[in-house]
Amino acid sequence: MGSALIMLSLIPALGCYLEFTAWLPSDTRRHQDYVAAEPCPGDATAKKWEDCLRTVSFNVESTKNKLSKSGSYKATLSGTSFWNGVVAFGDPGPLLERLRPGDQVTATVWRGDVMTVSNGGVRQRTSEEPRSEPQMTVAIGTFLGLLAATGIGLGAVRMTRPHGHEPFTWRSYGKPLLITMTITCAVVGLPAVWFGLPSWVVPTVAVTVVACTAGLLHQHRRPSAARGA
């Protein structure tokens, strides 16, 4: 049981590793490239994939302004020879909710994706536009790391103390810590994005809260285990 728990814990450990070594650096580089990108030369032939910012006019074929099981907020655009398709948004405002089929919009295209859409002086970012918001990525990585550490810790206790691993069980430690780390990472990660807090705030707060919770659980469970013995 202990070895199986440790092996399963390697899955979130790998996820944590990839979050911080692949996903986060990739998002950071993509945002930096986007910020540094310059407008495409006016005499350059438009291509499907370009590393410059191209301003394009599109016709609105249809829109979707309600979030449902079939997908998020979307607009179907057409009118160019190198890009036509569906653009996704994070919310309906400020522009998507005002668009109607037949409207014309001006869009910024970069690396084969529509970054922004504007009409009548109103501009809205699409879901594809790179953002400097590493806080939630860090929050997910921190959660996976804490989950892996908890699983490895409980698994190690079972392996070293197969007949006396109380109170280090899923019910006594695993479940409360899982709830704590889930709530903490979400509660810290989202406000960190909203208020632009440094990304290091997320793991600092989350690890501290989970460690304090583990300490309180240990103090509470130790007398109970002693009485049971």
Side-chain angles (χ1 to χ4, degrees), residues 166-173 176 214-228:
E166 294 289 346
F168 300 100
T169 62
W170 164 254
R171 183 176 180 180
S172 298
Y173 272 86
L216 292 174
L217 288 172
H218 183 63
Q219 290 181 358
H220 174 71
R221 302 295 182 186
R222 186 168 52 184
S224 298
R227 287 194 299 269

Side-chain angles (χ1 to χ4, degrees), residues 135 138 197-205:
Q135 296 89 341
V138 172
L197 300 178
S199 57
W200 57 262
V201 170
V202 180
T204 300
V205 174

Side-chain angles (χ1 to χ4, degrees), residues 20 30 47 49 58 62 85 98 115 124 134 154 164 189 195 219:
F20 287 107
R30 188 167 185 266
K47 300 177 182 178
W49 196 99
F58 286 105
S62 63
R98 309 162 91 185
M115 301 288 108
Q124 184 171 351
L154 294 178
F195 298 107
Q219 290 181 358

Side-chain angles (χ1 to χ4, degrees), residues 30 34 114-116 123-131:
R30 188 167 185 266
Y34 177 63
V114 174
M115 301 288 108
T116 64
R123 177 178 175 273
Q124 184 171 351
R125 303 189 301 178
T126 71
S127 299
E128 292 296 333
E129 186 184 42
R131 293 163 171 77

Side-chain angles (χ1 to χ4, degrees), residues 2-148:
S3 59
L5 187 56
I6 292 176
M7 293 298 293
L8 287 175
S9 299
L10 295 179
I11 297 175
L14 176 61
C16 176
Y17 174 79
L18 294 176
E19 283 276 346
F20 287 107
T21 62
W23 185 2
L24 183 59
S26 177
D27 285 350
T28 301
R29 285 194 301 270
R30 188 167 185 266
H31 177 262
Q32 292 173 344
D33 291 344
Y34 177 63
V35 172
E38 298 181 353
C40 296
D43 57 349
T45 303
K47 300 177 182 178
K48 186 174 183 180
W49 196 99
E50 297 175 297
D51 206 22
C52 54
L53 303 175
R54 182 170 295 278
T55 301
V56 185
S57 294
F58 286 105
N59 297 317
V60 178
E61 298 293 331
S62 63
T63 60
K64 179 182 178 182
N65 297 313
K66 294 182 179 180
L67 188 63
S68 65
K69 294 181 180 180
S70 60
S72 59
Y73 307 102
K74 300 176 181 178
T76 302
L77 307 179
S78 65
T80 71
S81 59
F82 64 93
W83 198 100
N84 295 286
V86 178
V87 178
F89 299 86
D91 50 65
L95 179 60
L96 180 62
E97 58 191 359
R98 309 162 91 185
L99 294 178
R100 298 293 182 270
D103 288 348
Q104 190 174 62
V105 296
T106 301
T108 301
V109 180
W110 180 68
R111 293 185 178 179
D113 293 312
V114 174
M115 301 288 108
T116 64
V117 177
S118 61
N119 174 273
V122 181
R123 177 178 175 273
Q124 184 171 351
R125 303 189 301 178
T126 71
S127 299
E128 292 296 333
E129 186 184 42
R131 293 163 171 77
S132 180
E133 299 175 346
Q135 296 89 341
M136 280 309 300
T137 303
V138 172
I140 295 173
T142 301
F143 169 78
L144 292 175
L146 290 171
L147 180 62

